[in-house]
Amino acid sequence: MYKFSMQAGLVALGLSLLALSGCSTISSGVESVGKGIVYVGESIEKVTTDVKVEKVDDERFNLSVNFHEPVKNLDSWAMRIEAREVCPKGYVYLSRNARKTGGFAYSDAQCEAEMSCGYALEWRIKCEDVPNEPFSLFGKT
């Protein structure tokens, strides 16, 4: 009986290792495809969006970009791309703001009707050694 359970244990261990190596191959393949998709998306975003960069000192930068839509969040692919270019080792946010002289629109319908929906997204960043997040199909973890 000992001999049988030992063989079963070795088979189970072998299957586990095979399954884990398969997961590794799948996850590295997904990561490669994901990086390719991100590269294409970032290339399009970089060409279509004009981010202004102002150097404050060697470590600090002010970035801004204009949008003509309701404020949905304070994040922007174009701003992330530009921030990585000025801070290749990584960066931290000092502040992120949406600035407008009038009131903000809350929906696309308001933009089509009576409101002006333009606003400036502004980031203040500081260059620091921050590792890149690994790609994930499920967003940030």
Side-chain angles (χ1 to χ4, degrees), residues 23-56:
C23 289
S24 174
T25 304
I26 290 171
S27 67
S28 64
V30 167
E31 187 169 328
S32 296
V33 170
K35 285 181 181 179
I37 292 169
V38 168
Y39 176 77
V40 169
E42 286 182 351
S43 299
I44 293 169
E45 188 75 23
K46 180 114 175 93
V47 169
T48 60
T49 309
D50 185 29
V51 177
K52 296 177 189 91
V53 178
E54 177 189 339
K55 184 176 182 176
V56 177

PDB file of all heavy atoms in Angstrom, residues 23-56:
ATOM      1  N   CYS A  23       0.426  27.035 -17.079  1.00  0.00           N
ATOM      2  CA  CYS A  23      -0.063  28.348 -16.658  1.00  0.00           C
ATOM      3  C   CYS A  23       0.989  29.409 -16.923  1.00  0.00           C
ATOM      4  O   CYS A  23       0.676  30.516 -17.335  1.00  0.00           O
ATOM      5  CB  CYS A  23      -0.430  28.352 -15.173  1.00  0.00           C
ATOM      6  SG  CYS A  23      -1.911  27.404 -14.815  1.00  0.00           S
ATOM      7  N   SER A  24       2.230  29.080 -16.682  1.00  0.00           N
ATOM      8  CA  SER A  24       3.304  30.031 -16.911  1.00  0.00           C
ATOM      9  C   SER A  24       3.386  30.402 -18.382  1.00  0.00           C
ATOM     10  O   SER A  24       3.528  31.556 -18.738  1.00  0.00           O
ATOM     11  CB  SER A  24       4.630  29.433 -16.443  1.00  0.00           C
ATOM     12  OG  SER A  24       5.696  30.269 -16.786  1.00  0.00           O
ATOM     13  N   THR A  25       3.270  29.405 -19.249  1.00  0.00           N
ATOM     14  CA  THR A  25       3.316  29.658 -20.687  1.00  0.00           C
ATOM     15  C   THR A  25       2.131  30.498 -21.117  1.00  0.00           C
ATOM     16  O   THR A  25       2.274  31.440 -21.881  1.00  0.00           O
ATOM     17  CB  THR A  25       3.331  28.325 -21.462  1.00  0.00           C
ATOM     18  OG1 THR A  25       4.433  27.548 -21.002  1.00  0.00           O
ATOM     19  CG2 THR A  25       3.437  28.548 -22.945  1.00  0.00           C
ATOM     20  N   ILE A  26       0.954  30.180 -20.616  1.00  0.00           N
ATOM     21  CA  ILE A  26      -0.244  30.941 -20.963  1.00  0.00           C
ATOM     22  C   ILE A  26      -0.124  32.371 -20.463  1.00  0.00           C
ATOM     23  O   ILE A  26      -0.378  33.322 -21.195  1.00  0.00           O
ATOM     24  CB  ILE A  26      -1.507  30.266 -20.394  1.00  0.00           C
ATOM     25  CG1 ILE A  26      -1.766  28.963 -21.146  1.00  0.00           C
ATOM     26  CG2 ILE A  26      -2.717  31.186 -20.491  1.00  0.00           C
ATOM     27  CD1 ILE A  26      -2.839  28.097 -20.542  1.00  0.00           C
ATOM     28  N   SER A  27       0.297  32.547 -19.211  1.00  0.00           N
ATOM     29  CA  SER A  27       0.372  33.902 -18.663  1.00  0.00           C
ATOM     30  C   SER A  27       1.437  34.727 -19.368  1.00  0.00           C
ATOM     31  O   SER A  27       1.251  35.914 -19.605  1.00  0.00           O
ATOM     32  CB  SER A  27       0.612  33.873 -17.154  1.00  0.00           C
ATOM     33  OG  SER A  27       1.893  33.354 -16.872  1.00  0.00           O
ATOM     34  N   SER A  28       2.570  34.114 -19.753  1.00  0.00           N
ATOM     35  CA  SER A  28       3.587  34.885 -20.467  1.00  0.00           C
ATOM     36  C   SER A  28       3.100  35.220 -21.870  1.00  0.00           C
ATOM     37  O   SER A  28       3.402  36.286 -22.397  1.00  0.00           O
ATOM     38  CB  SER A  28       4.917  34.137 -20.505  1.00  0.00           C
ATOM     39  OG  SER A  28       4.799  32.938 -21.244  1.00  0.00           O
ATOM     40  N   GLY A  29       2.315  34.324 -22.486  1.00  0.00           N
ATOM     41  CA  GLY A  29       1.740  34.620 -23.801  1.00  0.00           C
ATOM     42  C   GLY A  29       0.739  35.753 -23.722  1.00  0.00           C
ATOM     43  O   GLY A  29       0.722  36.646 -24.563  1.00  0.00           O
ATOM     44  N   VAL A  30      -0.119  35.714 -22.696  1.00  0.00           N
ATOM     45  CA  VAL A  30      -1.090  36.786 -22.488  1.00  0.00           C
ATOM     46  C   VAL A  30      -0.366  38.099 -22.238  1.00  0.00           C
ATOM     47  O   VAL A  30      -0.749  39.143 -22.763  1.00  0.00           O
ATOM     48  CB  VAL A  30      -2.042  36.444 -21.315  1.00  0.00           C
ATOM     49  CG1 VAL A  30      -2.839  37.654 -20.878  1.00  0.00           C
ATOM     50  CG2 VAL A  30      -2.967  35.306 -21.698  1.00  0.00           C
ATOM     51  N   GLU A  31       0.712  38.061 -21.457  1.00  0.00           N
ATOM     52  CA  GLU A  31       1.463  39.276 -21.180  1.00  0.00           C
ATOM     53  C   GLU A  31       2.085  39.839 -22.453  1.00  0.00           C
ATOM     54  O   GLU A  31       2.058  41.041 -22.685  1.00  0.00           O
ATOM     55  CB  GLU A  31       2.553  39.012 -20.136  1.00  0.00           C
ATOM     56  CG  GLU A  31       3.240  40.281 -19.694  1.00  0.00           C
ATOM     57  CD  GLU A  31       4.122  40.073 -18.477  1.00  0.00           C
ATOM     58  OE1 GLU A  31       3.796  39.227 -17.642  1.00  0.00           O
ATOM     59  OE2 GLU A  31       5.123  40.780 -18.399  1.00  0.00           O
ATOM     60  N   SER A  32       2.608  38.978 -23.324  1.00  0.00           N
ATOM     61  CA  SER A  32       3.194  39.433 -24.585  1.00  0.00           C
ATOM     62  C   SER A  32       2.142  40.071 -25.483  1.00  0.00           C
ATOM     63  O   SER A  32       2.366  41.131 -26.052  1.00  0.00           O
ATOM     64  CB  SER A  32       3.851  38.270 -25.328  1.00  0.00           C
ATOM     65  OG  SER A  32       4.920  37.754 -24.583  1.00  0.00           O
ATOM     66  N   VAL A  33       0.989  39.414 -25.604  1.00  0.00           N
ATOM     67  CA  VAL A  33      -0.099  39.968 -26.412  1.00  0.00           C
ATOM     68  C   VAL A  33      -0.576  41.287 -25.800  1.00  0.00           C
ATOM     69  O   VAL A  33      -0.795  42.271 -26.500  1.00  0.00           O
ATOM     70  CB  VAL A  33      -1.274  38.960 -26.523  1.00  0.00           C
ATOM     71  CG1 VAL A  33      -2.494  39.614 -27.140  1.00  0.00           C
ATOM     72  CG2 VAL A  33      -0.843  37.754 -27.336  1.00  0.00           C
ATOM     73  N   GLY A  34      -0.704  41.307 -24.480  1.00  0.00           N
ATOM     74  CA  GLY A  34      -1.133  42.529 -23.792  1.00  0.00           C
ATOM     75  C   GLY A  34      -0.181  43.680 -24.020  1.00  0.00           C
ATOM     76  O   GLY A  34      -0.600  44.808 -24.278  1.00  0.00           O
ATOM     77  N   LYS A  35       1.123  43.414 -23.967  1.00  0.00           N
ATOM     78  CA  LYS A  35       2.105  44.471 -24.214  1.00  0.00           C
ATOM     79  C   LYS A  35       1.988  44.995 -25.633  1.00  0.00           C
ATOM     80  O   LYS A  35       2.131  46.186 -25.880  1.00  0.00           O
ATOM     81  CB  LYS A  35       3.519  43.954 -23.940  1.00  0.00           C
ATOM     82  CG  LYS A  35       3.838  43.825 -22.478  1.00  0.00           C
ATOM     83  CD  LYS A  35       5.260  43.340 -22.262  1.00  0.00           C
ATOM     84  CE  LYS A  35       5.564  43.202 -20.775  1.00  0.00           C
ATOM     85  NZ  LYS A  35       6.921  42.706 -20.542  1.00  0.00           N
ATOM     86  N   GLY A  36       1.719  44.102 -26.588  1.00  0.00           N
ATOM     87  CA  GLY A  36       1.538  44.523 -27.975  1.00  0.00           C
ATOM     88  C   GLY A  36       0.326  45.411 -28.139  1.00  0.00           C
ATOM     89  O   GLY A  36       0.377  46.437 -28.826  1.00  0.00           O
ATOM     90  N   ILE A  37      -0.781  45.040 -27.491  1.00  0.00           N
ATOM     91  CA  ILE A  37      -2.004  45.844 -27.554  1.00  0.00           C
ATOM     92  C   ILE A  37      -1.771  47.209 -26.917  1.00  0.00           C
ATOM     93  O   ILE A  37      -2.169  48.237 -27.450  1.00  0.00           O
ATOM     94  CB  ILE A  37      -3.173  45.110 -26.868  1.00  0.00           C
ATOM     95  CG1 ILE A  37      -3.556  43.877 -27.688  1.00  0.00           C
ATOM     96  CG2 ILE A  37      -4.374  46.025 -26.675  1.00  0.00           C
ATOM     97  CD1 ILE A  37      -4.502  42.939 -26.992  1.00  0.00           C
ATOM     98  N   VAL A  38      -1.114  47.225 -25.773  1.00  0.00           N
ATOM     99  CA  VAL A  38      -0.816  48.487 -25.089  1.00  0.00           C
ATOM    100  C   VAL A  38       0.075  49.357 -25.965  1.00  0.00           C
ATOM    101  O   VAL A  38      -0.141  50.564 -26.091  1.00  0.00           O
ATOM    102  CB  VAL A  38      -0.167  48.229 -23.708  1.00  0.00           C
ATOM    103  CG1 VAL A  38       0.408  49.502 -23.131  1.00  0.00           C
ATOM    104  CG2 VAL A  38      -1.182  47.625 -22.755  1.00  0.00           C
ATOM    105  N   TYR A  39       1.077  48.768 -26.623  1.00  0.00           N
ATOM    106  CA  TYR A  39       1.977  49.528 -27.494  1.00  0.00           C
ATOM    107  C   TYR A  39       1.203  50.192 -28.630  1.00  0.00           C
ATOM    108  O   TYR A  39       1.400  51.373 -28.913  1.00  0.00           O
ATOM    109  CB  TYR A  39       3.073  48.611 -28.055  1.00  0.00           C
ATOM    110  CG  TYR A  39       3.983  49.291 -29.027  1.00  0.00           C
ATOM    111  CD1 TYR A  39       4.980  50.156 -28.583  1.00  0.00           C
ATOM    112  CD2 TYR A  39       3.836  49.092 -30.393  1.00  0.00           C
ATOM    113  CE1 TYR A  39       5.809  50.802 -29.485  1.00  0.00           C
ATOM    114  CE2 TYR A  39       4.660  49.737 -31.294  1.00  0.00           C
ATOM    115  CZ  TYR A  39       5.647  50.589 -30.840  1.00  0.00           C
ATOM    116  OH  TYR A  39       6.462  51.237 -31.729  1.00  0.00           O
ATOM    117  N   VAL A  40       0.316  49.443 -29.290  1.00  0.00           N
ATOM    118  CA  VAL A  40      -0.478  50.002 -30.384  1.00  0.00           C
ATOM    119  C   VAL A  40      -1.387  51.110 -29.861  1.00  0.00           C
ATOM    120  O   VAL A  40      -1.479  52.192 -30.438  1.00  0.00           O
ATOM    121  CB  VAL A  40      -1.306  48.897 -31.086  1.00  0.00           C
ATOM    122  CG1 VAL A  40      -2.319  49.493 -32.044  1.00  0.00           C
ATOM    123  CG2 VAL A  40      -0.384  47.937 -31.819  1.00  0.00           C
ATOM    124  N   GLY A  41      -2.069  50.848 -28.743  1.00  0.00           N
ATOM    125  CA  GLY A  41      -2.951  51.853 -28.159  1.00  0.00           C
ATOM    126  C   GLY A  41      -2.210  53.112 -27.763  1.00  0.00           C
ATOM    127  O   GLY A  41      -2.666  54.231 -28.012  1.00  0.00           O
ATOM    128  N   GLU A  42      -1.043  52.953 -27.163  1.00  0.00           N
ATOM    129  CA  GLU A  42      -0.251  54.112 -26.758  1.00  0.00           C
ATOM    130  C   GLU A  42       0.251  54.890 -27.968  1.00  0.00           C
ATOM    131  O   GLU A  42       0.306  56.119 -27.941  1.00  0.00           O
ATOM    132  CB  GLU A  42       0.923  53.673 -25.885  1.00  0.00           C
ATOM    133  CG  GLU A  42       0.506  53.268 -24.492  1.00  0.00           C
ATOM    134  CD  GLU A  42       1.675  52.883 -23.607  1.00  0.00           C
ATOM    135  OE1 GLU A  42       2.811  52.760 -24.115  1.00  0.00           O
ATOM    136  OE2 GLU A  42       1.451  52.706 -22.406  1.00  0.00           O
ATOM    137  N   SER A  43       0.605  54.206 -29.038  1.00  0.00           N
ATOM    138  CA  SER A  43       1.067  54.884 -30.250  1.00  0.00           C
ATOM    139  C   SER A  43      -0.033  55.760 -30.824  1.00  0.00           C
ATOM    140  O   SER A  43       0.204  56.905 -31.196  1.00  0.00           O
ATOM    141  CB  SER A  43       1.522  53.867 -31.300  1.00  0.00           C
ATOM    142  OG  SER A  43       2.592  53.106 -30.815  1.00  0.00           O
ATOM    143  N   ILE A  44      -1.246  55.223 -30.881  1.00  0.00           N
ATOM    144  CA  ILE A  44      -2.386  56.000 -31.395  1.00  0.00           C
ATOM    145  C   ILE A  44      -2.672  57.176 -30.478  1.00  0.00           C
ATOM    146  O   ILE A  44      -2.873  58.302 -30.931  1.00  0.00           O
ATOM    147  CB  ILE A  44      -3.623  55.094 -31.542  1.00  0.00           C
ATOM    148  CG1 ILE A  44      -3.380  54.068 -32.649  1.00  0.00           C
ATOM    149  CG2 ILE A  44      -4.876  55.908 -31.823  1.00  0.00           C
ATOM    150  CD1 ILE A  44      -4.403  52.966 -32.703  1.00  0.00           C
ATOM    151  N   GLU A  45      -2.679  56.947 -29.184  1.00  0.00           N
ATOM    152  CA  GLU A  45      -2.971  57.997 -28.199  1.00  0.00           C
ATOM    153  C   GLU A  45      -1.928  59.111 -28.281  1.00  0.00           C
ATOM    154  O   GLU A  45      -2.247  60.287 -28.191  1.00  0.00           O
ATOM    155  CB  GLU A  45      -3.012  57.394 -26.803  1.00  0.00           C
ATOM    156  CG  GLU A  45      -3.488  58.339 -25.730  1.00  0.00           C
ATOM    157  CD  GLU A  45      -4.987  58.571 -25.760  1.00  0.00           C
ATOM    158  OE1 GLU A  45      -5.717  57.740 -26.289  1.00  0.00           O
ATOM    159  OE2 GLU A  45      -5.411  59.614 -25.243  1.00  0.00           O
ATOM    160  N   LYS A  46      -0.664  58.760 -28.441  1.00  0.00           N
ATOM    161  CA  LYS A  46       0.419  59.745 -28.498  1.00  0.00           C
ATOM    162  C   LYS A  46       0.264  60.660 -29.712  1.00  0.00           C
ATOM    163  O   LYS A  46       0.486  61.850 -29.634  1.00  0.00           O
ATOM    164  CB  LYS A  46       1.771  59.019 -28.534  1.00  0.00           C
ATOM    165  CG  LYS A  46       2.941  59.950 -28.590  1.00  0.00           C
ATOM    166  CD  LYS A  46       3.736  59.830 -27.344  1.00  0.00           C
ATOM    167  CE  LYS A  46       4.983  60.663 -27.401  1.00  0.00           C
ATOM    168  NZ  LYS A  46       4.798  61.957 -26.843  1.00  0.00           N
ATOM    169  N   VAL A  47      -0.136  60.087 -30.844  1.00  0.00           N
ATOM    170  CA  VAL A  47      -0.279  60.859 -32.071  1.00  0.00           C
ATOM    171  C   VAL A  47      -1.489  61.781 -31.996  1.00  0.00           C
ATOM    172  O   VAL A  47      -1.454  62.895 -32.511  1.00  0.00           O
ATOM    173  CB  VAL A  47      -0.384  59.911 -33.287  1.00  0.00           C
ATOM    174  CG1 VAL A  47      -0.797  60.648 -34.542  1.00  0.00           C
ATOM    175  CG2 VAL A  47       0.935  59.186 -33.505  1.00  0.00           C
ATOM    176  N   THR A  48      -2.561  61.335 -31.355  1.00  0.00           N
ATOM    177  CA  THR A  48      -3.811  62.091 -31.376  1.00  0.00           C
ATOM    178  C   THR A  48      -3.976  63.069 -30.213  1.00  0.00           C
ATOM    179  O   THR A  48      -4.893  63.870 -30.224  1.00  0.00           O
ATOM    180  CB  THR A  48      -5.016  61.129 -31.367  1.00  0.00           C
ATOM    181  OG1 THR A  48      -4.973  60.326 -30.193  1.00  0.00           O
ATOM    182  CG2 THR A  48      -5.018  60.249 -32.598  1.00  0.00           C
ATOM    183  N   THR A  49      -3.116  63.035 -29.216  1.00  0.00           N
ATOM    184  CA  THR A  49      -3.273  63.894 -28.039  1.00  0.00           C
ATOM    185  C   THR A  49      -2.028  64.748 -27.835  1.00  0.00           C
ATOM    186  O   THR A  49      -0.915  64.259 -27.910  1.00  0.00           O
ATOM    187  CB  THR A  49      -3.514  63.037 -26.778  1.00  0.00           C
ATOM    188  OG1 THR A  49      -4.572  62.119 -27.048  1.00  0.00           O
ATOM    189  CG2 THR A  49      -3.904  63.893 -25.601  1.00  0.00           C
ATOM    190  N   ASP A  50      -2.249  66.030 -27.553  1.00  0.00           N
ATOM    191  CA  ASP A  50      -1.146  66.959 -27.365  1.00  0.00           C
ATOM    192  C   ASP A  50      -0.980  67.281 -25.876  1.00  0.00           C
ATOM    193  O   ASP A  50      -1.707  68.097 -25.322  1.00  0.00           O
ATOM    194  CB  ASP A  50      -1.409  68.243 -28.158  1.00  0.00           C
ATOM    195  CG  ASP A  50      -0.250  69.208 -28.099  1.00  0.00           C
ATOM    196  OD1 ASP A  50       0.902  68.751 -27.952  1.00  0.00           O
ATOM    197  OD2 ASP A  50      -0.495  70.427 -28.186  1.00  0.00           O
ATOM    198  N   VAL A  51      -0.023  66.628 -25.233  1.00  0.00           N
ATOM    199  CA  VAL A  51       0.252  66.852 -23.813  1.00  0.00           C
ATOM    200  C   VAL A  51       1.363  67.895 -23.700  1.00  0.00           C
ATOM    201  O   VAL A  51       2.410  67.766 -24.322  1.00  0.00           O
ATOM    202  CB  VAL A  51       0.680  65.541 -23.116  1.00  0.00           C
ATOM    203  CG1 VAL A  51       1.039  65.798 -21.660  1.00  0.00           C
ATOM    204  CG2 VAL A  51      -0.409  64.501 -23.218  1.00  0.00           C
ATOM    205  N   LYS A  52       1.117  68.904 -22.891  1.00  0.00           N
ATOM    206  CA  LYS A  52       2.132  69.939 -22.645  1.00  0.00           C
ATOM    207  C   LYS A  52       2.925  69.558 -21.402  1.00  0.00           C
ATOM    208  O   LYS A  52       2.351  69.187 -20.388  1.00  0.00           O
ATOM    209  CB  LYS A  52       1.465  71.296 -22.459  1.00  0.00           C
ATOM    210  CG  LYS A  52       0.746  71.786 -23.698  1.00  0.00           C
ATOM    211  CD  LYS A  52       0.039  73.098 -23.425  1.00  0.00           C
ATOM    212  CE  LYS A  52      -0.836  73.456 -24.591  1.00  0.00           C
ATOM    213  NZ  LYS A  52      -2.187  72.962 -24.481  1.00  0.00           N
ATOM    214  N   VAL A  53       4.254  69.670 -21.503  1.00  0.00           N
ATOM    215  CA  VAL A  53       5.134  69.322 -20.391  1.00  0.00           C
ATOM    216  C   VAL A  53       5.930  70.560 -20.004  1.00  0.00           C
ATOM    217  O   VAL A  53       6.549  71.200 -20.845  1.00  0.00           O
ATOM    218  CB  VAL A  53       6.100  68.183 -20.779  1.00  0.00           C
ATOM    219  CG1 VAL A  53       7.039  67.866 -19.628  1.00  0.00           C
ATOM    220  CG2 VAL A  53       5.335  66.955 -21.205  1.00  0.00           C
ATOM    221  N   GLU A  54       5.901  70.877 -18.711  1.00  0.00           N
ATOM    222  CA  GLU A  54       6.680  71.994 -18.176  1.00  0.00           C
ATOM    223  C   GLU A  54       7.618  71.438 -17.102  1.00  0.00           C
ATOM    224  O   GLU A  54       7.176  70.830 -16.133  1.00  0.00           O
ATOM    225  CB  GLU A  54       5.746  73.034 -17.561  1.00  0.00           C
ATOM    226  CG  GLU A  54       6.458  74.193 -16.917  1.00  0.00           C
ATOM    227  CD  GLU A  54       5.499  75.083 -16.138  1.00  0.00           C
ATOM    228  OE1 GLU A  54       4.282  75.051 -16.408  1.00  0.00           O
ATOM    229  OE2 GLU A  54       5.984  75.806 -15.239  1.00  0.00           O
ATOM    230  N   LYS A  55       8.914  71.665 -17.294  1.00  0.00           N
ATOM    231  CA  LYS A  55       9.904  71.183 -16.333  1.00  0.00           C
ATOM    232  C   LYS A  55      10.021  72.196 -15.197  1.00  0.00           C
ATOM    233  O   LYS A  55      10.325  73.356 -15.420  1.00  0.00           O
ATOM    234  CB  LYS A  55      11.254  70.992 -17.029  1.00  0.00           C
ATOM    235  CG  LYS A  55      12.307  70.407 -16.144  1.00  0.00           C
ATOM    236  CD  LYS A  55      13.585  70.146 -16.924  1.00  0.00           C
ATOM    237  CE  LYS A  55      14.624  69.501 -16.027  1.00  0.00           C
ATOM    238  NZ  LYS A  55      15.831  69.155 -16.778  1.00  0.00           N
ATOM    239  N   VAL A  56       9.770  71.742 -13.974  1.00  0.00           N
ATOM    240  CA  VAL A  56       9.893  72.601 -12.796  1.00  0.00           C
ATOM    241  C   VAL A  56      11.331  72.549 -12.286  1.00  0.00           C
ATOM    242  O   VAL A  56      11.939  73.580 -12.022  1.00  0.00           O
ATOM    243  CB  VAL A  56       8.900  72.173 -11.691  1.00  0.00           C
ATOM    244  CG1 VAL A  56       9.075  73.006 -10.438  1.00  0.00           C
ATOM    245  CG2 VAL A  56       7.468  72.239 -12.205  1.00  0.00           C
TER     246      VAL A  56
END
